[in-house]
Amino acid sequence: MAGPEAPEAGWKAFTENIVGGGRLELDPAGLEQCIKLCQEHADHMKLLGGRARRELRATDLGLGEKDIESAKQLARKFDEKAIGGDDIEFANTAVGLFLAHETYASDMKSMFEAVLASYREQDAATAARLGSVGVQL
């Protein structure tokens, strides 16, 4: 997807705002929810990938693929589109798509976990510094 509504456009604007001196507000509970949702999405995509491997196999479509060479080739194409094969790149298969979504969700989860850990570390350091000068939080 391209254009101003693309997901990457939102991340680019977010990053430019932060790097450009914008104000960042962070809600730890919101990040924890994002982490949970990313894990749930990754788990769901993993299950769908497994189902695609098992259920989308096109080995016996009843097109005459046992007797007719063109029907056999068509069944092979359907099978390759579902799970991969010689003529179709893995990324262009159902299994590949689910794996890509699982990987993306896992990467997002890791990013949110790193942000949350850094936030908590910085928050603790700031509280310690303020406490050392006698400020009550």
Side-chain angles (χ1 to χ4, degrees):
M1 177 185 241
E5 299 302 316
E8 61 271 13
W11 284 110
K12 184 178 181 197
F14 174 77
T15 304
E16 287 173 358
N17 184 41
I18 299 307
V19 173
R23 182 176 171 183
L24 174 64
E25 294 183 22
L26 190 122
D27 175 18
L31 276 180
E32 289 168 353
Q33 182 67 15
C34 287
I35 290 166
K36 178 182 174 229
L37 291 172
C38 285
Q39 184 62 56
E40 288 174 3
H41 187 68
D43 292 344
H44 188 66
M45 291 298 107
K46 185 174 194 153
L47 289 173
L48 288 174
R51 280 188 64 193
R53 280 186 192 89
R54 291 185 311 275
E55 298 175 19
L56 294 180
R57 294 301 313 254
T59 54
D60 191 13
L61 297 176
L63 302 171
E65 60 268 22
K66 293 183 178 61
D67 303 316
I68 304 169
E69 185 59 32
S70 61
K72 185 185 294 185
Q73 290 174 4
L74 181 61
R76 183 178 50 79
K77 287 284 187 189
F78 278 121
D79 197 49
E80 289 176 355
K81 190 62 179 167
I83 62 166
D86 293 336
D87 294 337
I88 297 178
E89 289 184 39
F90 184 70
N92 292 330
T93 66
V95 173
L97 177 67
F98 292 131
L99 178 62
H101 280 274
E102 177 188 350
T103 301
Y104 184 78
S106 294
D107 290 348
M108 291 295 294
K109 177 187 173 217
S110 295
M111 187 264 313
F112 287 132
E113 288 171 333
V115 168
L116 184 58
S118 293
Y119 171 81
R120 288 182 172 150
E121 182 181 308
Q122 185 60 50
D123 191 48
T126 300
R129 279 190 218 113
L130 291 173
S132 70
V133 295
V135 176
Q136 294 292 326
L137 297 179

